[in-house]
Structure formats: structure tokens, C-alpha cells
Amino acid sequence: MMEIKENIGNPALGCKIGQAYHILLSQLAGALKDEGLDITVGEYLVLRAVYSKEGLQQCEIADMVGKDRAAVCRCVAGLEKKGLVATEAVSYKCLRVYLTDRSREMQPRVMKVAALRHQALAGLTVPGDLEIFNRILDAIIDSKQ
């Protein structure tokens, strides 16, 4: 059996990933606010998914953005109240999500935020590191299946 030693002076990798996640979410929320976009980070993720393919079902969006279905349902409801998406019932508990004209008009601003956040992240690394990090994250995500 492999012995696992705890290093109290240096947080475990999982803790660092959690810290980085919260920092990135906070920075994204700030960037959305700075751009004058009245959307939450969760709503941003849903919009980005629907920008990539209109008519996705909520469960498909949940899989794409790594959120649970209930969280995506709440985000879609919030976006619908803001007039940014429209939904169409597929069954009694399944909705397809479509963009409205208003969300199409704000798409360049949403994508600007995405590009700026990506540049900021890339600026923290040396060339090639981001691709390696992305492969590692893909491997972690793929291992759950």
C-alpha cells in the first residue's frame, strides 16, 4: 500500500484547483460587470453554450458547462426573465433554449469578455503551458465517465 504524506505547509493540489477556480469566477464576474453586462457567471456560461449551438436542451447545456441540471434550469429561467433567451418545451420536463434578438445584439460584448479573460489566463503562462493544462483538465473530466 502506498503511503500518502500530508504536507501541511503546501496546500494539496485539489485545494489549489479550488482556489484558482474561485479566483477565476470572481475575475469573470468583475469583467462581466465592467462590460456592463447584467448577467451572472452561470448565465454567462449558458449563453456561451447557446451561442455555440441554438436549440440545445437544458440537459445538454448542463453537460457542456459542467453544471448540474437544476443550476442550469435556474440560469435559463433568469435569462428568460431578462429577455435574453426563449424556451420551447420538448416534454413536460425538458426545454430547448434559443437566443433572442437582445442576446444576439449583446453577443459581441459577451465574446469580448471571453477573449479578454482567455488573454489574461494565457498571460500567466509560458507558450505551450495552457495547452498542457487544457489536456490535463480534459483527462480529469474524461476520467469521470
Side-chain angles (χ1 to χ4, degrees), residues 53-70:
K53 184 178 179 188
E54 247 188 291
L56 289 169
Q57 294 179 24
Q58 288 179 335
C59 58
E60 294 171 312
I61 294 170
D63 290 342
M64 286 177 75
V65 302
K67 297 281 186 191
D68 62 71
R69 291 176 184 188

Side-chain angles (χ1 to χ4, degrees), residues 111-128:
M111 299 312 289
K112 175 184 173 186
V113 169
L116 290 173
R117 294 310 317 139
H118 186 269
Q119 284 177 344
L121 184 57
L124 298 174
T125 64
V126 297

